[in-house]
Amino acid sequence: MIEWLENLGARGLSILNEIGRAGVFLFWSVVGIFRPPFKIMPIIKQIHVIGATSFTVIFFTGAFVGMVLGLQGNYTLRMFGAEGALGSAVALSLVRELGPVLTGLMVTGRVGSSICAEVGIMRISEQIDALECMAIDPYRYLISPKVVASIISLPLLTAIFNIVGLMGGFLVGVRLLGGSEGAYLSTMKSSVLAADIRMCFIKSVCFAILIVWICADRGYWVHKSRNGFGAEGVSRATTHAVVISSVAILVADYVITSLLL
Amino acid sequence: MTCENCCIELIGIEKSFGDQKVLRGVNLPIRRGFTTVIVGESGQGKSVLLKHILGLIAPDAGQVIVEGQDVTRLRGAELKKLRTRFGVLFQGAALFDSLTVFDNIALPLRERTRMLAAEVREKVSLTLELLDLSGSEDKYPAQLSGGMKKRVGLARALQLNPEILLFDEPTTGLDPVRSHEVYQMFNETQKKLGYTSIIVSHDIPKIFNLADYIALLHEGVIQICATPEELQRCEKPLVRAFVERVMGKMYSSEIEDLELAAEL
């Protein structure tokens, strides 16, 4: 019984320890953004990695989510004789929820895992130690450009997701199932308010920080985690990173929605 | 400081990993301008000792004095400043594997100095020439042989003109020709640049030719730190046993070298 309690306590302490370490990690990563020398090239490179290369997957996810919304919405709304509200339904669900959340999840899967693996491999092959020995701040050099790049990329990707989704909804709801074009466009325009766009933007910025924070942190401290050695340690850290940041995105989504609604 | 001529002094360093006590009170002076070689069997904590000097690991007890400052008490900017005096060649060279050879060597200059791109290019090409690496600047570390990796690592470590160079197993995993190459480049650069160096190695007795001082790490304690001659004359049973074992090896490795020379 005492042993069980001891284990529980040790587990609790190690979780607290990890959370504290992650907090310090975020702090230094953000501080690193404002530390000279300022370089634009690493940020552009990361925007390419995080943003540009995610375009295809965001495009297709957005298109099919919009199309499914058009299909389901048309079917459901017709039961109430409210097909005209399809534009409004698709637009609001995309802008408020699905756009930022699904973009966040897709980017986590695509980029978060690679950030975690990259940083983790640099850690286990002593490359981060080498940076420290050269008195190069690893946060500023490695993590901060990723934070900036993802804060720039995610809102843009979310915007693309929304637009493509709206077009997908239009394609299915109006062109395929013969809904009213005017009704779709006008209800879409009138129902989406500036506050909705703002919420969408805030969410995507928060998710951007969450993704890089959690994934880079898992990789950076891979050697401190249990059995965090070698390739297996990195692969475990990557899995953890993706799971934790996906859940964190959904939790944060609830929190932000409840605060802003 | 107790030692006049020392740039680094380790005092009573203790370190455990879990239940395993690796270092049990290490005392070691490193004299300025000389080469100190730390020898000992694998797993005795030699690399851990180097990491203490760099402040990458904090000791459980003891002090690491570098140029009058206790590394274990330094934080942030001060530690960073102190580290600019060091050049480090890691065991696996620790090259940035997604950067080319050129970018690897240029990184410290780009990040730590305000040199212009043309100046960086010039300085890096000079170092490449010095270490006989010209022509490999566009290769990636994965495309290099073990010996070349070490040379790129050394080139990178030399960029900021360090006063103290730390070498973690500079010749592990290299064949005799390559390790000879590494020693040669080492001799040449030290003559030219006059740095203090600390080498962790188990390539004994060959490493003896390079060493001004040899420190034997055994069971978590420095058993002796002396010149190679003094080491051979030491009466301590443990040191005697070590020297005898090594001398036996020296004989066979000379034959090996001769055979190799004949083959070449």
Side-chain angles (χ1 to χ4, degrees):
Chain A
M1 180 65 186
I2 292 217
E3 200 178 318
W4 182 80
L5 272 177
E6 269 178 5
N7 284 340
L8 189 72
R11 186 93 191 96
L13 280 178
S14 93
I15 289 174
L16 275 182
N17 193 7
E18 273 179 36
I19 293 174
R21 204 166 55 202
V24 174
F25 181 89
L26 180 65
F27 176 77
W28 287 116
S29 308
V30 172
V31 167
I33 300 173
F34 304 102
R35 273 199 175 160
F38 301 106
K39 299 216 163 140
I40 192 77
M41 278 320 283
I43 296 177
I44 293 178
K45 190 182 159 205
Q46 290 302 325
I47 290 179
H48 174 76
V49 172
I50 298 173
T53 56
S54 301
F55 178 80
T56 322
V57 69
I58 292 301
F59 183 91
F60 280 105
T61 326
F64 282 96
V65 167
M67 282 154 71
V68 166
L69 279 179
L71 207 58
Q72 292 276 18
N74 187 285
Y75 177 78
T76 317
L77 290 171
R78 192 179 295 156
M79 290 200 293
F80 305 100
E83 299 101 306
L86 182 65
S88 164
V90 173
L92 283 181
S93 31
L94 275 176
V95 172
R96 281 187 175 176
E97 287 300 330
L98 293 175
V101 171
L102 285 179
T103 308
L105 292 178
M106 294 316 286
V107 170
T108 301
R110 233 203 120 266
V111 182
S113 53
S114 80
I115 290 178
C116 179
E118 181 193 334
V119 176
I121 287 171
M122 290 191 77
R123 166 62 79 188
I124 60 163
S125 58
E126 294 183 316
Q127 294 177 46
I128 290 178
D129 289 345
L131 280 175
E132 283 180 355
C133 290
M134 287 189 260
I136 297 171
D137 180 2
Y139 292 104
R140 183 188 64 71
Y141 179 74
L142 277 180
I143 317 295
S144 305
K146 295 190 196 331
V147 176
V148 176
S150 94
I151 290 177
I152 294 173
S153 304
L154 258 231
L156 291 174
L157 287 173
T158 308
I160 292 169
F161 187 102
N162 287 341
I163 291 168
V164 175
L166 282 170
M167 292 200 285
F170 182 82
L171 189 75
V172 172
V174 177
R175 289 272 176 271
L176 220 59
L177 302 177
S180 151
E181 184 179 328
Y184 185 92
L185 292 177
S186 69
T187 52
M188 178 185 94
K189 253 192 231 164
S190 61
S191 61
V192 178
L193 307 174
D196 298 320
I197 308 274
R198 193 161 58 231
M199 187 200 272
C200 174
F201 180 74
I202 291 173
K203 278 182 181 176
S204 61
V205 169
C206 291
F207 297 163
I209 297 171
L210 270 180
I211 294 168
V212 176
W213 176 24
I214 293 171
C215 295
D217 176 81
R218 290 275 106 187
Y220 196 86
W221 298 117
V222 61
H223 61 307
K224 301 260 186 191
S225 58
R226 272 190 304 168
N227 302 324
F229 306 107
E232 215 168 288
V234 174
S235 86
R236 200 174 298 127
T238 309
T239 313
H240 275 177
V242 172
V243 172
I244 297 173
S245 74
S246 305
V247 174
I249 284 175
L250 295 171
V251 173
D253 181 51
Y254 178 81
V255 174
I256 297 170
T257 311
S258 67
L259 286 177
L260 291 183
L261 264 187
Chain B
M1 259 173 97
T2 50
C3 170
E4 282 284 304
N5 241 333
C6 295
C7 52
I8 302 175
E9 195 169 13
L10 304 179
I11 304 167
I13 301 293
E14 287 177 27
K15 181 73 188 176
S16 308
F17 292 104
D19 300 333
Q20 196 190 359
K21 198 154 190 180
V22 182
L23 303 177
R24 304 159 185 264
V26 169
N27 295 303
L28 179 65
I30 307 286
R31 289 171 183 82
R32 198 187 310 277
F34 290 102
T35 301
T36 304
V37 177
I38 303 172
V39 295
E41 286 159 28
S42 301
Q44 293 287 344
K46 301 188 297 286
S47 304
V48 174
L49 206 58
L50 279 193
K51 289 192 174 174
H52 276 95
I53 295 176
L54 288 162
L56 289 175
I57 300 183
D60 298 337
Q63 287 177 303
V64 182
I65 312 283
V66 178
E67 303 287 5
Q69 287 177 295
D70 187 354
V71 175
T72 55
R73 285 165 194 275
L74 294 183
R75 290 282 170 276
E78 286 172 313
L79 190 60
K80 211 167 155 185
K81 204 172 152 207
L82 190 78
R83 280 183 185 150
T84 55
R85 294 162 173 254
F86 287 109
V88 187
L89 180 56
F90 282 86
Q91 199 161 351
L95 300 176
F96 302 111
D97 42 24
S98 46
L99 298 181
T100 62
V101 168
F102 184 89
D103 290 335
N104 259 289
I105 302 176
L107 185 77
L109 297 174
R110 286 176 180 157
E111 293 292 323
R112 301 279 314 143
T113 67
R114 289 170 185 276
M115 283 171 115
L116 299 172
E119 293 172 310
V120 170
R121 184 159 289 280
E122 195 178 334
K123 186 156 188 332
V124 173
S125 355
L126 268 178
T127 321
L128 284 169
E129 229 164 89
L130 174 76
L131 293 173
D132 201 15
L133 284 165
S134 306
S136 325
E137 44 274 68
D138 294 328
K139 287 188 180 159
Y140 284 90
Q143 298 170 301
L144 300 179
S145 69
M148 281 171 96
K149 272 187 204 162
K150 302 265 180 188
R151 276 185 281 159
V152 175
L154 181 66
R156 190 177 67 183
L158 288 174
Q159 286 310 302
L160 296 172
N161 308 322
E163 297 158 37
I164 305 159
L165 265 171
L166 306 179
F167 295 84
D168 194 356
E169 310 267 3
T171 57
T172 304
L174 299 185
D175 61 62
V177 181
R178 296 274 168 254
S179 47
H180 186 69
E181 209 175 77
V182 170
Y183 289 138
Q184 212 170 3
M185 115 193 142
F186 189 82
N187 256 331
E188 282 165 15
T189 51
Q190 197 182 20
K191 243 179 251 163
K192 274 184 207 157
L193 306 170
Y195 45 75
T196 306
S197 59
I198 305 170
I199 307 177
V200 160
S201 178
H202 41 223
D203 190 10
I204 28 188
K206 281 186 210 164
I207 199 83
F208 281 20
N209 301 330
L210 276 181
D212 296 308
Y213 296 96
I214 293 171
L216 172 62
L217 182 66
H218 189 73
E219 290 180 341
V221 179
I222 296 287
Q223 303 288 346
I224 184 172
C225 176
T227 62
E229 294 79 36
E230 282 170 349
L231 188 79
Q232 283 170 34
R233 275 183 270 128
C234 180
E235 295 295 332
K236 230 172 154 181
L238 207 144
V239 179
R240 276 241 66 84
F242 171 76
V243 170
E244 271 162 26
R245 213 171 57 229
V246 167
M247 284 313 160
K249 266 190 191 166
M250 183 182 269
Y251 178 67
S252 67
S253 79
E254 268 171 10
I255 290 179
E256 196 180 284
D257 277 357
L258 285 177
E259 280 172 356
L260 192 82
E263 272 175 38
L264 293 172

